[in-house]
Amino acid sequence: DAKTTQPTSMDCAEGRAANLPCNHSTISGNEYVYWYRQIHSQGPQYIIHGLKNNETNEMASLIITEDRKSSTLILPHATLRDTAVYYCIVRRSGGSNYKLTFGKGTLLTVNP
Amino acid sequence: EAQVTQNPRYLITVTGKKLTVTCSQNMNHEYMSWYRQDPGLGLRQIYYSMNVEVTDKGDVPEGYKVSRKEKRNFPLILESPSPNQTSLYFCASSLGGRSAETQYFGPGTRLLVL
């Protein structure tokens, strides 16, 4: 699975959009980009995933560049409850083990 | 409500005393997995199960056992716990196949082995 690079930490003002970048320059054609988050010591929570096209759900939007070497997770209106570590994970779909390889992630702090 | 439950949530035990951490999901998921999380090491997979009676080792299986006798349950067994198994443990499940990416995690079990 491709390696990802994320900033260690970011700040965002409450009510503003939070844009979390992820670099995955060695991504392969059959690998997806997934985002999970972990609010302090709770179980990780799935946010969104995509292959090529931009994706949006009730939680967030995922923007993947045309060359697929980087992506951005967008939380459109961040709240204090969005303070968490956000993990960008790249892996191929399916396989014999659906293991998720979590890196260090980005600690997003939403400030009042 | 769709969920993954773990019990107990907190456990303090002593070296060598066998313990079991239970994991149960109510979503009819085929795939289940155990992770441990340690500071500086992130989440590491211990064991996983693709379906009933189908289990396999993850990255750090030493000192752990699992069983999958029924679809909803995937207990983690520490036959002789040691202090290096002090950690935060998470169970996860997913439907599998094309929906495998959406994994649901339990609330975690914090284990301290003295």
Side-chain angles (χ1 to χ4, degrees):
Chain A
D1 296 333
K3 181 180 168 62
T4 62
T5 304
Q6 300 178 251
T8 303
S9 63
M10 295 182 65
D11 285 327
C12 177
E14 188 177 20
R16 304 295 295 268
N19 296 277
L20 292 91
C22 179
N23 183 289
H24 33 80
S25 58
T26 60
I27 192 170
S28 300
N30 63 351
E31 290 180 319
Y32 285 69
V33 180
Y34 308 92
W35 284 84
Y36 279 74
R37 73 179 182 183
Q38 186 175 23
I39 298 169
H40 182 61
S41 293
Q42 295 180 22
Q45 178 188 23
Y46 166 82
I47 302 173
I48 199 167
H49 76 281
L51 181 63
K52 296 182 192 176
N53 302 318
N54 298 336
E55 302 287 345
T56 295
N57 63 21
E58 65 279 2
M59 288 184 69
S61 295
L62 173 60
I63 308 297
I64 302 174
T65 58
E66 195 167 337
D67 63 8
R68 302 210 320 124
K69 293 185 177 183
S70 65
S71 60
T72 302
L73 178 73
I74 300 172
L75 307 178
H77 306 286
T79 70
L80 300 179
R81 288 181 295 179
D82 291 322
T83 292
V85 177
Y86 287 77
Y87 297 98
C88 171
I89 299 168
V90 172
R91 69 179 299 278
R92 63 183 180 90
S93 180
S96 59
N97 178 7
Y98 307 131
K99 179 180 71 174
L100 295 170
T101 302
F102 292 83
K104 296 189 186 308
T106 296
L107 173 60
L108 174 69
T109 303
V110 181
N111 300 303
Chain B
E1 180 191 353
Q3 59 182 353
V4 178
T5 56
Q6 295 179 225
N7 282 293
R9 294 289 313 280
Y10 304 91
L11 180 60
I12 301 174
T13 190
V14 295
T15 298
K17 186 176 182 182
K18 180 179 179 179
L19 66 93
T20 300
V21 183
T22 65
C23 172
S24 182
Q25 49 90 7
N26 62 0
M27 296 168 279
N28 202 36
H29 283 171
E30 291 189 349
Y31 176 81
M32 297 186 75
S33 179
W34 277 102
Y35 291 83
R36 61 178 288 176
Q37 185 171 29
D38 303 287
L41 296 176
L43 284 104
R44 294 176 293 169
Q45 190 186 55
I46 303 170
Y47 267 96
Y48 68 96
S49 170
M50 298 296 283
N51 214 324
V52 175
E53 303 290 1
V54 182
T55 63
D56 207 346
K57 297 176 180 178
D59 297 321
V60 288
E62 294 77 24
Y64 304 94
K65 283 177 58 177
V66 293
S67 68
R68 187 91 182 273
K69 292 183 168 45
E70 48 189 345
K71 206 171 191 179
R72 64 182 296 129
N73 296 322
F74 190 44
L76 180 69
I77 303 155
L78 285 72
E79 298 245 336
S80 183
S82 63
N84 64 13
Q85 293 179 296
T86 292
S87 188
L88 178 57
Y89 292 86
F90 293 104
C91 180
S93 75
S94 80
L95 199 54
R98 288 180 175 272
S99 301
E101 290 69 31
T102 307
Q103 294 196 26
Y104 296 80
F105 283 78
T109 295
R110 194 170 288 279
L111 172 65
L112 173 61
V113 183
L114 301 173

